[in-house]
Amino acid sequence: MIIRKAALKDAAGIAKVHVASWQTTYKGIIPNTYLQQLNEHNREKLWQRNIPEQIVYVAENNQRDIIGFSSGGMERSGKYPPYNGELYAVYILKEYQRRGIGQALLTPLVNELIARQLHAMVVIVLADNPSRFFYEKLGGERIDTLVTSIADKQLREVVYGWKDINILKNIM
C-alpha cells in the first residue's frame, strides 16, 4: 500500500471511493434514494476543485488503484476557536477498512496541518456512523453536537476536537 499526496489526476479515483464509501457506510443512516443518486462524475468535479484547495492524501493498493483518501485544512465554520484545523474526510473502501489505512492517511495530513501552524483540529462525524469510534480511539474529545438534514432526514453529528494534534503523532 502507498500513501501519497493527491494530484489532480486522482480526482476520478477519489470520486469512486467517495461514492462507494458513502453508499456502504451510510446505508440505513441516510435515505437510500439519496445514496443511489450519488454519482462519480459529479464527485470528480468536486475533487478537481478540492485537490488544489485542500490537503488531500490517497491510499493506493498494489495495483495502484485508489482505495482511500483523507482531506483537511483550515477549520471552516469559525464556531470552534481555538481549533484552527479541520479533518474534512477520511473514506476507505469497505473491503480495505480495519487495516490501519485510516491512521496511515491521517498521519501525513496531521503533519501538514502542523507545518501550516494549524495545531488544533476538529472533525464532524454523523453520530450513527460506527467509524466515529476511530476518532474517540485517537483521543478526540466531544466538543459539540449538531443537527444536519440530508434528503429531508434530520441527522445528528458529533464534533470531536483535539486541542493539540501533536499528541496524535504518539498515538498513530
Side-chain angles (χ1 to χ4, degrees):
M1 182 188 55
I2 297 168
I3 305 292
R4 63 172 175 78
K5 186 110 176 174
L8 272 178
K9 68 178 177 60
D10 298 319
I14 293 170
K16 182 178 179 179
V17 170
H18 200 171
V19 169
S21 295
W22 268 62
Q23 290 174 338
T24 57
T25 302
Y26 300 132
K27 186 177 183 178
I29 299 170
I30 293 175
N32 213 29
T33 52
Y34 181 87
L35 295 174
Q36 293 310 310
Q37 60 87 28
L38 294 174
N39 72 71
E40 292 175 21
H41 179 71
N42 289 344
R43 294 292 164 143
E44 181 177 356
K45 288 182 190 176
L46 171 76
W47 286 103
Q48 287 170 345
R49 289 189 307 272
N50 287 351
I51 291 169
E53 295 174 2
Q54 299 177 3
I55 301 167
V56 183
Y57 284 88
V58 295
E60 294 179 329
N61 64 13
N62 292 336
Q63 291 74 40
R64 310 278 307 193
D65 297 320
I66 293 174
I67 58 165
F69 69 92
S70 63
S71 68
M74 291 184 65
E75 196 277 324
R76 298 175 285 189
S77 74
K79 291 174 49 176
Y80 304 107
Y83 299 94
N84 55 4
E86 183 175 349
L87 173 61
Y88 304 148
V90 175
Y91 287 109
I92 301 159
L93 293 175
K94 185 175 183 168
E95 58 269 28
Y96 290 94
Q97 292 176 6
R98 301 193 176 278
R99 297 184 188 185
I101 298 169
Q103 286 187 8
L105 282 164
L106 195 53
T107 299
L109 191 140
V110 164
N111 289 335
E112 194 162 336
L113 287 173
I114 292 168
R116 294 182 184 196
Q117 302 301 309
L118 303 172
H119 293 280
M121 178 178 79
V122 296
V123 64
I124 302 170
V125 186
L126 286 176
D128 291 335
N129 179 352
S131 297
R132 73 180 169 84
F133 298 110
F134 169 74
Y135 304 110
E136 292 180 8
K137 180 181 170 192
L138 293 176
E141 297 177 20
R142 264 184 203 233
I143 60 170
D144 200 4
T145 303
L146 307 170
V147 176
T148 191
S149 179
I150 300 177
D152 295 325
K153 182 175 180 181
Q154 299 292 305
L155 299 163
R156 286 184 317 111
E157 294 177 309
V158 177
V159 183
Y160 292 101
W162 292 262
K163 291 179 182 167
D164 181 0
I165 57 176
N166 284 293
I167 66 160
L168 288 170
K169 290 180 170 186
N170 299 327
I171 299 171
M172 296 190 291

